[in-house]
Amino acid sequence: MVSRGAVVLVLLLCRCYVSNIISTISCRWEGRCLWGTLIFGAINLAQQGQGSFTEKENFRRLCCLIVCFSIACKNQLYGLSIEADGDYLLSRGLMDRTEFEKVVKRQGWQPYYFLGALREIIDVDLRMSGQRAKLNTNIYSFKGSTTDSQLLMMDLTLNQMASNIGGLIRVKSTGLPLGYDTIFYFICIQFIFRKNSNRSSVFNCF
């Protein structure tokens, strides 16, 4: 006959095991969703820039920064520096060596550097196309034209990309609570070394 204590231990063990699996799957799924949204944002930003940028050189700079940002995000999540892909970036002309060395010096903020550079190139093209508003608050004035609407959408896309990489870093850095494993191991020890229980009868209860 299986003791009541053994049954309780088995149920608690199963409960902790299932909770760990559910938490792991949830974190993994959230990470996949954030990464997919980030890829879509990068592609969408390039498409928006193609229709709104007036200078070809600025558009090329935008595309290069998008590629660099994507690579920086990938390396950030792998715990690496963008220096790991330095040969590729420099050989393709995506970055010059001065900018590359500047980014490499600070590993933690590499994706956010490129987000700032993307905002800067959008600002540069906006001023060159004569769309900058001369307001006391020094902000953009979107008057409803196609170009202005696209520039506003680009800014919203950048905000979404920044939110996505922040979420990905959070998911990667925040593991399962230590209490989950502690409780799981404690129950396992109690289950294995319980002196007054018959192990064979406990296993037979499955």
Side-chain angles (χ1 to χ4, degrees), residues 87-102:
D87 293 338
Y88 173 80
L89 296 172
L90 295 174
S91 63
R92 294 299 184 102
L94 298 173
M95 298 178 65
D96 58 43
R97 183 163 294 276
T98 302
E99 185 177 32
F100 177 74
E101 293 176 352
K102 178 181 178 181

Side-chain angles (χ1 to χ4, degrees), residues 41-92:
I43 297 173
N44 191 34
L45 184 63
Q47 292 175 334
Q48 291 170 344
Q50 185 177 15
S52 61
F53 271 45
T54 56
E55 299 290 332
K56 292 183 178 181
E57 187 61 29
N58 290 340
F59 177 66
R60 183 185 182 280
R61 169 69 172 167
L62 176 77
C63 294
C64 291
L65 289 172
I66 291 174
V67 175
C68 293
F69 169 76
S70 302
I71 294 176
C73 290
K74 182 258 296 183
N75 290 337
Q76 178 81 23
L77 297 175
Y78 276 108
L80 302 173
S81 170
I82 198 173
E83 189 175 8
D85 293 294
D87 293 338
Y88 173 80
L89 296 172
L90 295 174
S91 63
R92 294 299 184 102

Side-chain angles (χ1 to χ4, degrees), residues 52 126 129-131 141-153:
S52 61
L126 186 64
S129 61
Q131 299 295 329
S141 175
F142 298 101
K143 302 179 180 179
S145 66
T146 302
T147 301
D148 291 336
S149 299
Q150 289 173 340
L151 289 171
L152 176 59
M153 292 302 297

